[in-house]
């Protein structure tokens, strides 16, 4: 199920040695947001809590992987809802 996919995603984030603690926390917030709201799009980083007051560009110097992660989650939601 999609819920299991999100739980596995959180586990993979935790075990990934290429992201620091702040990045892990932010990625977990994204997964939690999807669990609560059913979807996420890049615009949500500007418009929605808990993201709109965080400087995610300071957390992720290279934001491309962050947007790729969000787009992966969004695409997964669309496949499940289709």
């Amino acid at each position: 199920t999609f819920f299991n996919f999100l739980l596995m995603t959180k586990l993979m984030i935790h075990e990934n040695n290429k992201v620091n603690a702040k990045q892990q926390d932010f990625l977990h917030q994204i997964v939690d947001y999807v669990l609560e709201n059913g979807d996420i799009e890049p615009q949500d980083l500007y418009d929605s809590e808990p993201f709109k007051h965080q400087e995610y560009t300071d957390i992720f110097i290279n934001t491309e992987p962050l947007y790729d992660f969000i787009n992966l989650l969004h695409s997964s939601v669309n496949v499940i809802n289709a």
Side-chain angles (χ1 to χ4, degrees):
T1 67
F2 187 62
F3 178 75
N4 288 338
F5 168 75
L6 292 176
L7 290 178
M8 289 299 297
T9 301
K10 288 186 90 164
L11 180 62
M12 289 173 28
I13 293 167
H14 182 69
E15 292 181 354
N16 185 342
N17 294 329
K18 295 181 181 176
V19 293
N20 64 40
K22 285 185 178 183
Q23 292 169 330
Q24 282 182 6
D25 182 54
F26 195 84
L27 294 172
H28 284 291
Q29 288 180 41
I30 290 172
V31 173
D32 290 340
Y33 180 88
V34 174
L35 285 169
E36 289 179 22
N37 298 284
D39 198 2
I40 191 166
E41 296 184 55
Q43 187 64 35
D44 291 320
L45 294 179
Y46 303 103
D47 297 338
S48 303
E49 293 292 345
F51 313 114
K52 69 180 182 179
H53 298 294
Q54 296 186 53
E55 295 295 329
Y56 69 91
T57 55
D58 291 341
I59 298 170
F60 293 89
I61 303 304
N62 177 8
T63 57
E64 185 177 341
L66 175 63
Y67 290 124
D68 288 346
F69 179 67
I70 290 170
N71 288 324
L72 172 67
L73 291 176
H74 178 68
S75 297
S76 299
V77 168
N78 286 334
V79 167
I80 289 170
N81 291 332

